[in-house]
Amino acid sequence: MGFPHPSHRQETPLLTRHFGEAEARTLDGWKKRGGYQALEKVLAMTPGEIVDIVKESGLRGRGGAGFPTGLKWSFMKPGDGKPHYLCCNADESEPGTFKDREVMRWTPHALVEGCAIAAYAIGAETTYIYIRGEFTEPLLRMERAVREAYDAGILGANAMGTGKRIDIYVHRGAGAYICGEETALMESLEGRRGNPRIKPPFPAVSGVFGQPTTINNVETLAAVPEILMKGAAWYKAMSLSNPKSTGTKLYSVCGNIRRPGTYEVVMGFPFKDFLHDVCGGALDGRKLKAVIPGGASVPIQTMEEAEATLMDYEGFAAQGSMLGSGGVIVIDDAQSMVAVIARLTRFFAHESCGQCTQCREGTAWTTKIVERIRDGHGTMEDLDTLVEIGENMTGTTICVLSDSCAVPVISGITKFRSEFESLIHGKRVHSVLTAVA
Amino acid sequence: MAEKKMVSLTIEGRPVSVPEGTSILEAAKVVGILIPHYCYHPGLPVAGVCRMCLVEVEKALKLAPSCATSVAEGQVVHVHTERALEARKGVLEFLLINHPLDCPICDQSGECELQDYTYQEGRADSRYRDPKRFNPVEDFGGDVLYVPNRCILCTRCVRFMDDVAHETVLNVSDRGDRAIIGKFEGKDLTHPWSGNVVDLCPVGALLSKDFLNKARAWELDRVASICPSCTQGCNITIETRDSQVARLKPRPNEDVNRFFMCDYGRLNYRWMNRTDRAELPLVRTEGELRSIDWDIAIHAAASLLRDARTFVLASPMLSNEALHLLSRLMQRKGGAGAFRVATGEEAPLAGVEDLALRRDRAANVNGAQMFGFQRSERPLEAMRDGDVLVIADDDLTGIAADEVARASQVIVIGTTLPGAASAAAVLLPITNFSEEEGTFTNLRGRVQRFMQARPAPGLARPSWLVLGDLLGALREQDSFYLPSDVFAKIASSHPAFSGLSYESLGMRGLPVLESETAGAAR
């Protein structure tokens, strides 16, 4: 459903089905809509069976990296004598991304149920939902849902009367983008400064409190109950293009588009139809120029690339970008690409944790140069410098924030070089002036 | 150690075998390759944040941080490929864009890793055209000053305080390019070992207030030595400028002090530069101390000692060599000897086993005991009336002149002539610890060598030479020509030292025989 707009006929609402229904937020309302049946069902199964079903379904991480969820769960070896942990990454801070927020606002019990199933599947007694510091309403919704689930005996020492312990804690972050990086999230959860850790060891070996940990995105976990209710084959069938990408994906669409909102379509849906039809296309008198399809840290697509894209992990990669988190930022011809990129780099410079040299210095330096070009004080050498800085920032640091900052700069200069050059040469020719006039 | 599995790999074409779990950076050291690095330090937990030590590992997609990457069987590592060099050059450029480049007024200049690696593989110019960030200098308390503009955020200082000193004082405040090293509210770098952060800092961001603007690194002469300020025996380097001790720095020794030394020891060096020293041999003639030839002074002392019982008041700051010769002097006619020790609070460094600023604030307490001197708060009590008193570099603080006067004669073999011994018959001026060579025995019975760092004042001679000549004049033995000869004599006459020599001690020292130290090391 294109919340807050009515559902579009080409959408496939699974997670978004109950968006906008206040009653679905409550336990009773959720149960009325079939809630917690999946949990009841899986508690009678063995963890291995659950992992196999999720593996078979082809569900992949919806946070950005697209790692197969079932495979990730299978890294948690049962009977290793250590406490296992599940982390739900609800620190959704990627610019342009707000799908998890809507899941938590409208269907908090879907996430609670998903967490409970995943926790059981990986042998974790404790789950932490690490929620973004600025998410006040989602926090309240989640806390209420967890409390309701405890009161109803769904969670706790005797989850659903099965004698199994499933605990969920909602932890509120303090508002740092970097804490959405999985290892920084764990540092933050443990009470330390949210700096990403060196990998290896990976979380499945040493995660929260040094114990085996699985960390999943909100959307990933919220999709789990449905898969276990309807089966892997049903989920796997939802794929219009590449069989490696299955199910539905939420997209939060923002920017210069007629109907911004949260949409849900099947993997492989044509991006052209999505933009022009489902989301309503460009505003009156404007023309779409570029799209950042997966949150601020993926490469910018030109409209030609975007319109040729099929919306799945492979489809976006084939057209020079990434599916990422599904935060679609639409940019039309009234915008200066340089100004857009300057805003993005400023964000990354602000949010860099500052431990790695390339990121600490590179994000800030990049921002200074891009802003200088934007303000008409750039030189042609600056463009070469920017690309070289970007290359030095790519693949050399602990986490990918540094790479993420370089991405819009390098893709922007490559694909929209003329806009940079005209600003450098003192010609403010982008069409915003003509469009407004 | 022996059970640990060995891993074989190739670094820059050189084959090397190291124990499993070793980092590539450490393995490279084994074959003589220093991979540039900032945040890594062998005495601290690995942070992997400076990204300077990136190297190319064959078959790996990305460059590997060599400090945080363990060796693997058959790995082929390239340190100097174009890709690795480009990456490190990039890091150096990033580190320098906000660096003030104030090397001409920076204390670290000349021993700065940022300078070294930039000369080695950095860019000749900068492409940075914007204003540099600025943060004011901050007093971190203790002996430490923080210059944030020079800081590269390697976090060695933070990790030292957290993981070695076990006192959380420093942190990284703010984030991104605004990040600086901060202090927690109400905390200061007052931990007794916090001065080490200055040594650990690879750039000029953390400076010693004591050394501030005192000397340029390249003006200093460096000599291997042992810290004389307590019985721990930390290995140090004495750094002198124009023959004046300018500062003391720790010298790594895995068996004693790892990479560290305490602030007390570090700052307790001014006495070595004392100028009010005894510089000429003096002999009392016609009621007055007059300067005279060394030979005559030695014979004057010998004639006083020849037939008398001798009592030696020794200093626990003297070398094993001097103490050995003194003990022979005192044993000649059934005499005795004593010494006293200044004490203070013990201050351990929590993160390193058996490392502390010890209660006994003198270098060779163990040696003095092993050579038969009695430890005493009132050392002259054991002296019999009529003994010849040899005062061997005790400054007599707190000892009254009439106590000294119980002796029939007083011979001072020291760096100064104490007021309470002004009635002495002979003064033989000796060099202090920094002006001579010798060995100390630390509280665990480890014998360690120290070297001469500065010239002797006036006609003062090394203690071992003076005492050797004195024994020679007493027909006890031939003169010694080298301190190693004295040590060879110790090794042949004291069972605990048997088998040891200056050569076998090297610069890291060796323990004396276990069985012999059990009693001495309390």
Side-chain angles (χ1 to χ4, degrees):
Chain A
M1 147 181 258
F3 187 81
H5 313 290
S7 188
H8 192 276
R9 63 189 156 74
Q10 287 189 291
E11 280 190 76
T12 311
L14 295 176
L15 303 185
T16 59
R17 192 165 60 217
H18 303 298
F19 281 14
E21 299 168 22
E23 196 198 30
R25 292 164 165 169
T26 64
L27 181 59
D28 292 341
W30 189 245
K31 279 188 163 169
K32 217 188 279 177
R33 288 164 176 78
Y36 291 108
Q37 288 173 10
L39 180 60
E40 202 171 355
K41 181 177 165 191
V42 303
L43 284 176
M45 296 160 63
T46 67
E49 287 169 349
I50 304 171
V51 172
D52 287 342
I53 292 174
V54 174
K55 256 190 197 168
E56 179 60 27
S57 74
L59 176 65
R60 291 167 69 178
R62 300 290 193 240
F67 194 83
T69 305
L71 185 60
K72 195 185 249 191
W73 289 6
S74 68
F75 294 152
M76 304 289 282
K77 296 282 168 253
D80 57 3
K82 294 177 180 169
H84 291 183
Y85 289 97
L86 173 68
C87 278
C88 171
N89 188 345
D91 191 65
E92 180 182 55
S93 326
E94 186 79 21
T97 311
F98 44 83
K99 58 182 180 79
D100 296 342
R101 182 188 72 193
E102 299 305 311
V103 170
M104 292 187 284
R105 278 179 70 202
W106 294 107
T107 59
H109 282 287
L111 181 57
V112 172
E113 189 175 2
C115 286
I117 293 171
Y120 176 62
I122 61 165
E125 292 194 337
T126 307
T127 299
Y128 295 102
I129 300 177
Y130 186 100
I131 203 162
R132 177 181 172 183
E134 291 89 341
F135 276 0
T136 306
E137 192 200 335
L139 174 79
L140 294 175
R141 301 272 177 240
M142 286 314 301
E143 282 183 336
R144 190 170 301 162
V146 168
R147 205 179 318 126
E148 279 181 322
Y150 267 106
D151 290 346
I154 294 167
L155 300 176
N158 184 14
M160 303 201 88
T162 57
K164 290 164 181 133
R165 173 177 279 281
I166 301 176
D167 279 323
I168 296 183
Y169 298 97
V170 180
H171 180 94
R172 185 183 195 173
Y177 170 68
I178 193 60
C179 289
E181 200 278 341
E182 57 184 17
T183 54
L185 183 149
M186 292 169 190
E187 287 282 300
S188 172
L189 193 60
E190 290 176 23
R192 287 197 289 272
R193 186 184 157 92
N195 284 358
R197 298 174 182 168
I198 297 177
K199 288 186 273 192
F202 291 95
V205 176
S206 174
V208 173
F209 306 113
Q211 304 303 326
T213 304
T214 290
I215 178 158
N216 287 127
N217 177 257
V218 169
E219 187 188 340
T220 316
L221 289 170
V224 165
E226 204 88 20
I227 293 172
L228 288 160
M229 277 313 287
K230 298 189 182 160
W234 163 80
Y235 197 76
K236 212 176 165 182
M238 287 193 283
S239 173
L240 298 177
S241 169
N242 194 306
K244 281 187 189 161
S245 298
T246 60
T248 59
K249 173 81 188 87
L250 266 62
Y251 295 89
S252 43
V253 183
C254 67
N256 311 128
I257 191 95
R258 192 178 297 275
R259 280 201 303 273
T262 307
Y263 296 84
E264 186 171 15
V265 292
V266 171
M267 284 288 182
F269 192 83
F271 202 19
K272 187 178 182 179
D273 295 350
F274 182 79
L275 290 170
H276 293 299
D277 186 4
V278 177
C279 301
L283 300 172
D284 288 341
R286 307 266 192 90
K287 226 178 124 233
L288 300 189
K289 179 162 76 178
V291 182
I292 305 174
S297 39
V298 306
I300 303 172
Q301 284 187 314
T302 61
M303 268 333 272
E304 293 75 58
E305 286 172 326
E307 288 175 355
T309 302
L310 296 174
M311 301 169 75
D312 59 20
Y313 295 102
E314 294 75 21
F316 280 107
Q319 291 299 329
S321 190
M322 277 158 64
L323 172 60
S325 62
V328 180
I329 305 170
V330 187
I331 301 154
D332 71 13
D333 56 355
Q335 314 305 323
S336 157
M337 283 310 289
V338 182
V340 170
I341 292 164
R343 186 65 195 86
L344 291 178
T345 59
R346 172 160 281 271
F347 170 80
F348 288 114
H350 183 254
E351 295 295 339
S352 164
C353 82
Q355 55 174 348
C356 300
T357 306
Q358 291 94 333
C359 183
R360 177 180 68 242
E361 304 293 343
T363 53
W365 188 10
T366 301
T367 306
K368 284 178 185 170
I369 298 178
V370 178
E371 290 185 347
R372 198 168 63 210
I373 296 172
R374 178 197 66 193
D375 298 341
H377 304 299
T379 64
M380 287 303 285
E381 292 80 63
D382 282 340
L383 293 185
D384 300 336
T385 309
L386 276 177
V387 172
E388 272 187 53
I389 295 173
E391 281 164 1
N392 280 333
M393 287 166 66
T394 304
T396 53
T397 48
I398 291 178
C399 79
V400 292
L401 191 145
S402 178
D403 309 50
S404 300
C405 179
V407 158
V409 177
I410 292 181
S411 60
I413 292 179
T414 316
K415 295 172 185 174
F416 299 93
R417 193 178 176 94
S418 62
E419 292 201 25
F420 283 85
E421 287 180 351
S422 52
L423 278 171
I424 288 167
H425 294 131
K427 288 177 268 175
R428 292 168 178 275
V429 291
H430 61 81
S431 45
V432 62
L433 301 176
T434 47
V436 170
Chain B
M1 286 290 266
E3 316 87 74
K4 202 132 201 214
K5 214 180 122 209
M6 297 299 277
V7 174
S8 300
L9 67 156
T10 312
I11 302 176
E12 281 293 287
R14 303 177 202 186
V16 58
S17 270
V18 289
E20 196 175 17
T22 308
S23 66
I24 293 178
L25 194 147
E26 283 295 336
K29 283 185 188 169
V30 175
V31 283
I33 296 166
L34 180 66
I35 300 173
H37 60 272
Y38 291 115
C39 69
Y40 174 77
H41 189 280
L44 302 173
V46 171
V49 296
C50 74
R51 316 309 282 179
M52 188 63 197
C53 67
L54 293 173
V55 294
E56 199 169 339
V57 178
E58 276 186 17
K59 293 189 189 124
L61 212 59
K62 293 208 265 181
L63 295 173
S66 56
C67 70
T69 309
S70 297
V71 292
E73 189 62 42
Q75 219 170 31
V76 181
V77 178
H78 301 284
V79 181
H80 301 306
T81 55
E82 198 179 329
R83 194 162 151 234
L85 282 168
E86 275 305 314
R88 296 205 295 268
K89 192 186 267 189
V91 173
L92 282 167
E93 184 179 26
F94 285 134
L95 288 174
L96 286 174
I97 59 173
N98 281 300
H99 190 86
L101 297 174
D102 57 348
C103 307
I105 56 154
C106 177
D107 267 357
Q108 192 82 4
S109 189
E111 51 187 10
C112 171
E113 290 171 37
L114 197 53
Q115 272 183 339
D116 293 349
Y117 293 136
T118 301
Y119 278 112
Q120 187 178 312
E121 47 191 55
R123 289 176 64 95
D125 58 337
S126 172
R127 295 176 289 190
Y128 190 71
R129 298 205 291 132
D130 301 277
K132 298 197 179 209
R133 91 181 147 240
F134 177 85
N135 287 299
V137 173
E138 196 179 340
D139 184 349
F140 269 6
D143 182 42
V144 184
L145 209 59
Y146 179 50
V147 186
N149 295 339
R150 296 176 188 151
C151 181
I152 59 169
L153 271 308
C154 70
T155 69
R156 280 189 194 178
C157 52
V158 179
R159 281 175 284 145
F160 174 79
M161 291 311 294
D162 287 359
D163 300 304
V164 183
H166 293 189
E167 190 181 308
T168 312
V169 178
L170 301 178
N171 60 35
V172 178
S173 300
D174 215 322
R175 66 180 184 213
D177 72 324
R178 289 87 59 212
I180 56 168
I181 302 298
K183 280 186 305 174
F184 284 108
E185 184 110 7
K187 294 268 188 108
D188 261 329
L189 277 184
T190 49
H191 187 277
W193 291 77
S194 56
N196 288 297
V197 298
V198 175
D199 305 332
L200 292 169
C201 182
V203 299
L206 292 172
L207 300 174
S208 160
K209 292 182 210 167
D210 181 72
F211 186 70
L212 196 66
N213 302 338
K214 233 160 74 171
R216 314 303 335 244
W218 55 87
E219 296 171 332
L220 297 168
D221 295 310
R222 294 171 172 85
V223 158
S225 188
I226 300 299
C227 177
S229 293
C230 83
T231 53
Q232 176 72 41
C234 291
N235 291 209
I236 62 164
T237 304
I238 298 184
E239 306 199 352
T240 58
R241 182 196 183 199
D242 296 340
S243 299
Q244 296 288 302
V245 178
R247 65 176 176 187
L248 307 182
K249 285 268 183 190
R251 182 164 57 87
N253 187 336
E254 200 61 33
D255 297 319
V256 183
N257 56 309
R258 297 209 73 199
F259 307 91
F260 312 117
M261 75 183 291
C262 72
D263 291 10
Y264 175 80
R266 183 188 298 269
L267 298 175
N268 183 24
Y269 65 84
R270 286 189 166 72
W271 60 271
M272 299 174 202
N273 294 333
R274 260 179 91 158
T275 50
D276 58 336
R277 292 277 298 277
E279 296 189 352
L280 301 169
L282 305 178
V283 173
R284 190 168 299 277
T285 40
E286 296 161 8
E288 223 177 294
L289 278 174
R290 294 175 200 273
S291 68
I292 201 154
D293 237 44
W294 260 108
D295 280 355
I296 298 172
I298 293 278
H299 280 96
S303 67
L304 295 177
L305 291 165
R306 186 153 291 127
D307 301 313
R309 186 181 184 274
T310 309
F311 186 86
V312 177
L313 173 56
S315 159
M317 298 291 276
L318 289 171
S319 64
N320 289 324
E321 288 75 3
L323 290 165
H324 161 73
L325 297 172
L326 280 169
S327 73
R328 287 176 56 189
L329 204 59
M330 89 191 175
Q331 283 155 5
R332 270 182 68 251
K333 298 284 174 190
F339 70 99
R340 54 187 183 150
V341 188
T343 55
E345 287 260 307
E346 178 146 329
L349 182 61
V352 182
E353 204 185 329
D354 199 29
L355 177 58
L357 165 61
R358 304 293 174 176
R359 273 178 53 73
D360 290 346
R361 300 292 162 81
N364 210 8
V365 173
N366 203 354
Q369 278 165 333
M370 286 173 78
F371 289 108
F373 294 89
Q374 292 301 312
R375 178 175 178 156
S376 166
E377 295 282 306
R378 304 185 55 78
L380 288 187
E381 267 177 1
M383 181 173 72
R384 293 185 198 159
D385 291 347
D387 279 355
V388 172
L389 172 61
V390 175
I391 300 170
D393 212 26
D394 188 300
D395 63 4
L396 298 186
T397 312
I399 294 179
D402 49 345
E403 247 186 294
V404 177
R406 292 201 293 120
S408 61
Q409 294 288 351
V410 176
I411 298 170
V412 175
I413 302 173
T415 53
T416 57
L417 178 60
S422 53
V426 181
L427 167 68
L428 302 177
I430 56 168
T431 52
N432 73 18
F433 143 85
S434 67
E435 296 151 0
E436 64 179 42
E437 191 179 338
T439 59
F440 289 141
T441 309
N442 85 350
L443 82 164
R444 298 287 174 248
R446 191 182 187 84
V447 185
Q448 307 187 97
R449 289 177 65 188
F450 59 88
M451 302 288 161
Q452 181 181 352
R454 42 196 308 264
L459 296 184
R461 288 180 176 177
S463 53
W464 60 268
L465 182 62
V466 172
L467 290 162
D469 284 352
L470 191 55
L471 285 170
L474 289 164
R475 303 267 180 272
E476 289 288 325
Q477 77 146 73
D478 295 333
S479 292
F480 294 102
Y481 292 99
L482 289 169
S484 54
D485 297 343
V486 187
F487 192 79
K489 186 84 189 168
I490 298 175
S492 63
S493 55
H494 279 262
F497 290 84
S498 69
L500 299 179
S501 70
Y502 268 24
E503 287 70 35
S504 70
L505 291 180
M507 288 324 299
R508 300 180 64 246
L510 281 176
V512 296
L513 292 177
E514 278 302 317
S515 53
E516 305 293 332
T517 52
R522 292 163 303 123

